[in-house]
Amino acid sequence: MPDMTAKTVVITGASRGIGAAAARAFAAQGANVVLLARDRDAVAAIAGEIGPRALAVPCDVTRYWEVEAALGAAVTAFGGLDVLISNAGVIDPISDVDAADPEMWSQAIDINLKGVFHGAHAALPLMLQRGGGTLITVSSGAAVNPIEGWSAYCASKAGAKMFTACLNTEYGARGIRALGLSPGTVATDMQREIKQSGVNAISQLDWSVHIPPEWPAQALVWMCGPDADPWLGNDISLRDPDIRKAVGVGP
Ligand code: NAP
């Protein structure tokens, strides 16, 4: 695992699930961690449990000004920004296109796609002035596979995947490492919502097939080191047994 001592890592969607596990995993490797989400009590509780090298900042990633202010708070608290994990995401609306609520469909794009742009746009000046940084997007198999009832999710994740590739194209030569993590199915609230929907084959999966959120959290830490450089501009799949072995998780 890369030594994250004194590095500052901002994680969006850190109030539960993969984001909360990532905050704990980065802190365990010595990083300062900044936890962003809308649920201020939840991020405050996790940051409090991690200790003085953790900061909780209430933030809705759909509002650019909140994201910019949150990254500013990270720099004020810890002196810089080294890594941004764009993890905040929603699955809703789970619905066929003709029945989907247009407001909810737009909201999914605002969170899953525009939220990633907001983070990168605010982080890039802070990283470039210090010679570089890492921008990781939490992606999905849905970025490359059409899935029934998930048009907003699939379209937003496909957009975020392409956006991450564009970041690598534009900034790769300037010290910015941009790449994505496709975690597979993970036992979080998002999978609970999917199961409850009863729509498509993923909702029918047995709960036991989902991996714990600590696995993608560990992968995100690993991706901050040079071993992940061959995937810059692309997604790393945690379904890949070689990746699991490299990260040190799973069978
Ligand atoms: P989760 O448990 O539902 O957590 C989602 C997180 O996103 C929460 O912390 C939530 O916090 C945050 N969030 C949602 N809307 C937000 C907004 N507008 N602004 C800021 N934060 C927001 O889901 P998860 O499974 O951990 O998902 C994390 C990421 O992994 C997502 O990008 C998801 O698409 C991806 N992923 C998950 C799976 C899976 O099987 N679970 C598979 C592939 C990819 P608040 O509600 O407090 O704001």
Side-chain angles (χ1 to χ4, degrees), residues 64-223:
Y64 177 68
W65 64 95
E66 290 192 15
V67 175
E68 189 180 35
L71 297 194
V75 172
T76 302
F78 299 121
L81 173 65
D82 299 286
V83 177
L84 172 65
I85 309 289
S86 288
N87 164 77
V90 290
I91 188 76
D92 284 330
I94 299 178
S95 170
D96 283 353
V97 172
D98 65 318
D101 174 58
E103 288 296 325
M104 279 182 83
W105 207 97
S106 292
Q107 176 76 354
I109 301 292
D110 285 352
I111 297 170
N112 298 357
L113 175 55
K114 283 168 68 181
V116 180
F117 163 76
H118 289 160
H121 185 71
L124 279 165
L126 304 172
M127 289 179 168
L128 289 169
Q129 77 188 12
R130 283 155 47 96
T134 295
L135 297 169
I136 301 180
T137 305
V138 178
S139 186
S140 168
V144 291
N145 295 298
I147 301 168
E148 184 200 344
W150 290 12
S151 65
Y153 188 72
C154 293
S156 60
K157 288 295 186 183
K161 184 180 190 305
M162 178 53 80
F163 176 71
T164 306
C166 290
L167 285 173
N168 178 60
T169 298
E170 290 186 11
Y171 297 98
R174 287 188 263 170
I176 302 294
R177 302 172 68 254
L179 68 172
L181 173 66
S182 179
T185 63
V186 188
T188 66
D189 283 359
M190 186 174 280
Q191 280 298 337
R192 279 180 204 98
E193 270 184 67
I194 290 166
K195 183 157 255 336
Q196 216 171 11
S197 76
V199 175
N200 75 43
I202 296 170
S203 74
Q204 306 303 318
L205 291 173
D206 192 85
W207 193 258
S208 63
V209 305
H210 304 316
I211 62 172
E214 288 72 23
W215 293 15
Q218 199 69 9
L220 290 165
V221 177
W222 177 81
M223 288 167 70

